[in-house]
Amino acid sequence: MTVRIGVIGTGAIGRDHIDRVTRRIRGASVTAVTDLDRALAEKSAGEAKVYPDGAALIASPEVDAVLVACSDAAHAEHVLTAIAAGKPVLCEKPLAVTPEDCLRIMAAEESHGSRLVQVGFMRRYDAGYREMHRVISAGDIGRPLLMHCAHRNRASRPDYTTEMAVLSSGVHEIDAARWLLSDEIVSTQVINPRSTRHRLPHLTDPQFMLFETASGIRIDLEVFVNCRYGYDIRCETVGEEGLLRLPDPARPELRASARIGTAIDQEWDDRFSAAFDAELQAWVDSVPTGRATGPSSWDGYAATAVATATVRAQQSGDVEQVNMRERPAFYA
Amino acid sequence: MTVRIGVIGTGAIGRDHIDRVTRRIRGASVTAVTDLDRALAEKSAGEAKVYPDGAALIASPEVDAVLVACSDAAHAEHVLTAIAAGKPVLCEKPLAVTPEDCLRIMAAEESHGSRLVQVGFMRRYDAGYREMHRVISAGDIGRPLLMHCAHRNRASRPDYTTEMAVLSSGVHEIDAARWLLSDEIVSTQVINPRSTRHRLPHLTDPQFMLFETASGIRIDLEVFVNCRYGYDIRCETVGEEGLLRLPDPARPELRASARIGTAIDQEWDDRFSAAFDAELQAWVDSVPTGRATGPSSWDGYAATAVATATVRAQQSGDVEQVNMRERPAFYA
Amino acid sequence: MTVRIGVIGTGAIGRDHIDRVTRRIRGASVTAVTDLDRALAEKSAGEAKVYPDGAALIASPEVDAVLVACSDAAHAEHVLTAIAAGKPVLCEKPLAVTPEDCLRIMAAEESHGSRLVQVGFMRRYDAGYREMHRVISAGDIGRPLLMHCAHRNRASRPDYTTEMAVLSSGVHEIDAARWLLSDEIVSTQVINPRSTRHRLPHLTDPQFMLFETASGIRIDLEVFVNCRYGYDIRCETVGEEGLLRLPDPARPELRASARIGTAIDQEWDDRFSAAFDAELQAWVDSVPTGRATGPSSWDGYAATAVATATVRAQQSGDVEQVNMRERPAFYA
Amino acid sequence: MTVRIGVIGTGAIGRDHIDRVTRRIRGASVTAVTDLDRALAEKSAGEAKVYPDGAALIASPEVDAVLVACSDAAHAEHVLTAIAAGKPVLCEKPLAVTPEDCLRIMAAEESHGSRLVQVGFMRRYDAGYREMHRVISAGDIGRPLLMHCAHRNRASRPDYTTEMAVLSSGVHEIDAARWLLSDEIVSTQVINPRSTRHRLPHLTDPQFMLFETASGIRIDLEVFVNCRYGYDIRCETVGEEGLLRLPDPARPELRASARIGTAIDQEWDDRFSAAFDAELQAWVDSVPTGRATGPSSWDGYAATAVATATVRAQQSGDVEQVNMRERPAFYA
């Protein structure tokens, strides 16, 4: 069976997903696309049909599964429509921009009776993170106590805002931490170090975020989106019996010009290209089974709840509590 | 278009390829299988049809491309049949067990008028090797002068022979060296260190091989198939301006029990799993273009010529010359 | 000239210093020792004369320079006596347990007219820290913005207290940060993650400390004194142009038992043995010049001021301001 | 007791040793110097007395121990004179330029009745090599089977000759291998890869040397004295149970300009500075005991015997046997 995918949103991420499905993923093809900017949709369509809007695309009998990659604010609407149609959906993060909308999606999914939604936290498909998850879950470092993270980009685009350090960047670590630690974040705080001269004046960069989990694990996260030297993701978990650290990607070692060294990825899509492939493949593979796998609506809700509280913390300068519902048995 | 693949030989490697095509590769399906042991073929067939022999499989109109994974001695016959049928073929290494048979294949392919054959040297699809190739080709280490290699397996199977250290193991480095250095090996020698107590009595292990290229580069290669600690592939090229080293796979670093360390792969199919995927995908992608890419019949011939001379060197204890034809313009 | 050293305090550290002077340092000998426990002093004396108390030892014409290694509370008294006698003094950290006593020492030293005091912050003599200092001072990472530190011990002794995580352990990072960043710490905070089960009930362990400098650099420090796996000191400075990280000690890499790894030091005196030697040698070499070098009374004062505020922060759970005098021109 | 050292030869190495004794070593002073070039000796003398020749220096009652750092050809004469005078001697490598002269020294030392000679193989005092020795001796990698070595210099001086790749450079690995493996080298061979364009025309560079030990261990050694990128010493021992590798020196890791990397030493005296200190200190410490420690005349003899055979191998292009006496019980 070839899964026929409809893609909502053909901006950079959407086009990237279309390209992956077309050239790298097994068992799927893109049969439908739509975008608010119809010309853009047509440009990316290839052999896919262009639909006037998300609702029409989701309703099409030529669409088995829906990939939501439009603007964040429109995610919830399309996901809800897909659930109503009983169609599997891969939604780019965030699942929704408010916790309330995430809860609405959860309620709809629960009414449907089985998981239909996978949220696009692709780090869970990165080989290094996966092995960390395996080692921590196996108990090899004992109970986790601390986690030290960094999320660094070479340079930010002009429209990158201080809030995006949480909503676009840090949210990946928020999800990764929840997943690696099997724990929920209950409070959050943001500290502002001196900013780099290499940022635009409107931006606070770097930022230093602190999270606490329900069981008392403390997580610190440096988000630095103009670090100049490359795209660099660090994650280190300190447990009662040992410490585990995410590896740098394997690159040939060069000894030349009085230095021993390796290249470092410059962009996030280089660093996580294989993870994006694995994420999409896992999604495509899950469609025929009728049961979504990977990051769930609950995970999407938790990430949005923590991110929302963290944006409040950016503004208040205080420790902010994360207000979260209890996890429904449906998502256990 | 879905490439319909016929697989000749359903032993371990053949089954592994069937599994990859079925579960991991885009744009292909296995529609035909055959094996001398028909029961074995049927066990691996899945939805594919079982053919009585390679000739019947190759002739089938339901087979677009042929994957040869049977016993080494039968490779040449099937490759020649596939060429005669004008069908693309991916042949597991070696292309043939004698240089003469390789030349016969080259002649047939040249008569056909375009490349039909890809030889299964999957290291050329490993990310680390590929970046080494890129850096060396870019001239970043200057002209190569020396290459230091090691090929270590945790433990060899009882039927592994001293010759297989060349024919099954070292042949991968022979091809990788030729490819990385863009040079041909002209002489070869094998030196026997003291053997490990962890080998069966019939086996000489480790072995230390020395190669010289046409331009005077010296390559040394330790093949050690009972090294106990894991599967470990080392490759280091020393050039006039610097040195480049194949990385170890990226694995999370664990600090525990008074050690800092990482796990090491135990088996070759773990280490090169992504390379095998990429190799097969590249082959599948090349089929509709009508033009084979990757390691060619010429590469298969060169590897067999060097390996044959190296087996002579194992027996003589002397430096043996590699007798090779000049490279035909067809393979330039 | 051989510098004749009098050692006040012959507990573990004192004996260690005596041993270094006797066996590893050039140009010095221990001629005098004293301890509240006279029997202990006699046991460590070797060829040195045992004095009844610090005052007598300092006054002795056979003592050129004084090494203060007694209990923390008595440091200030002996340092002041040595200054009054015009004798150079190496004082183990802390210079004094209160900022006020440190100020008294600074005043006495300034009256004397030249530096007589070196404080025992030996990390400034560690090769890795020294190269970090050189690289940062050269501007290679631009202006520092963040510093991430960890101070981990394998296991703490039963009498180790929660306060000692600041006063005995973290104070090293406090000094190292001030030195590497050429900046003063102005506020401090302590966060308590879940404690490890491997600590005694009276102890909070690990602790996570946060510091801010006058120029807005943020420093975080994990102190974890029962981490189980070894003695591990981490220090990473993030600057506007790049990032610099303290190396792990160089140890042979072992590949065995399915792991690639190195040993890790188990105790602090293994890790910093060479730094202690270099510290003592630098001190001995400075004596004949009549001018102390290395960490000064000002550094001792600053460390005590920050540590005192940090202990307050442990108790209050709040951000505490560090109250420090302006740096006198004498210590510029 | 202060050991009064007489230094024969005040060229670069001699001056370096004088400097170490004067500024870094405990328990010794240089009281006497001599050089064929008297003006040079006077320039380096400091407070030491200048003697007309080695014999006069050795005979002086103001000399307790002799450090031989003159031209290689004169080593044997001075060492023999020192033995005749019953004075301890540290002789820079080689002990003598011919095996015969080494045997003469051994005979003289044996007649004296106890070891008086330490040969200047300072790698045995390098922390990395020492830990390798400890781990191998402990049996952690099982019986050694292979050793892979490299000795690379940034650039050679104009007067560096092809023979010096053995006599000045490779001889260090010859000694280190004998010491680490507790085995003797019995045959030797030199292979010439293509030479780098960065060498003077008279020089063959790099060279690739192969050694076999009595127990069948195979050692390969790349000597490359114009590698451009730095001073780089590699040593890897492959044993029946695992593999052990000499570490690169610990240097801070810098992430900047799209690279992750560390600096590499540019000169041998940077790389082995601490080893030279430890070597000299060990020698000085041994003088009062009346019993030389460290590399012995036997080690000096073995190194010269292997090096001599290796120079023959450079010329013959063949495998050359090393002709060595049996080890006298005196040196067991």
Side-chain angles (χ1 to χ4, degrees), chain B residues 180-330:
Chain B
L180 290 172
L181 302 173
S182 303
D183 203 351
E184 294 299 347
I185 292 169
V186 296
S187 78
T188 169
Q189 185 183 2
V190 180
I191 288 173
N192 295 332
R194 172 162 78 190
S195 273
T196 176
R197 65 189 178 99
H198 296 298
R199 98 281 182 205
L200 289 176
H202 69 267
L203 190 63
T204 299
D205 183 44
Q207 298 177 45
F208 191 67
M209 305 179 191
L210 295 169
F211 305 97
E212 183 177 12
T213 73
S215 75
I217 303 168
R218 295 290 186 154
I219 302 158
D220 56 271
L221 166 59
E222 171 199 332
V223 176
F224 186 9
V225 297
N226 289 284
C227 82
R228 312 284 287 177
Y229 67 82
Y231 181 70
D232 195 10
I233 299 300
R234 314 290 304 164
C235 180
E236 183 174 307
T237 307
V238 183
E240 288 184 331
E241 315 298 336
L243 178 153
L244 192 66
R245 181 184 299 164
L246 187 70
D248 287 309
R251 305 293 288 272
E253 180 197 284
L254 177 67
R255 296 182 178 226
S257 309
R259 306 282 301 169
I260 303 173
T262 61
I264 183 165
D265 289 317
Q266 293 303 292
E267 303 299 337
W268 57 269
D269 37 8
D270 295 330
R271 170 69 178 84
F272 286 115
S273 178
F276 276 111
D277 285 357
E279 175 199 52
L280 263 182
Q281 189 68 65
W283 179 57
V284 164
D285 291 349
S286 76
V287 168
T289 72
R291 246 198 138 66
T293 59
S296 68
S297 297
W298 168 257
D299 296 312
Y301 164 67
T304 294
V306 175
T308 305
T310 306
V311 170
R312 278 204 317 272
Q314 285 182 316
Q315 291 153 0
S316 71
D318 290 334
V319 176
E320 296 287 337
Q321 302 306 310
V322 178
N323 303 310
M324 271 176 66
R325 291 274 177 83
E326 265 195 59
R327 187 183 194 121
F330 182 78

Side-chain angles (χ1 to χ4, degrees), chain C residues 4 6 26 82 130 136 164-165 201 220-221 242 248 255 263 301 319-320 325 329:
Chain C
R4 297 169 303 169
R26 228 195 89 271
R130 288 182 86 82
I136 294 172
M164 288 169 74
D220 57 272
L221 165 60
D248 287 311
R255 296 182 177 227
Y301 163 68
V319 176
E320 296 286 336
R325 289 274 176 83

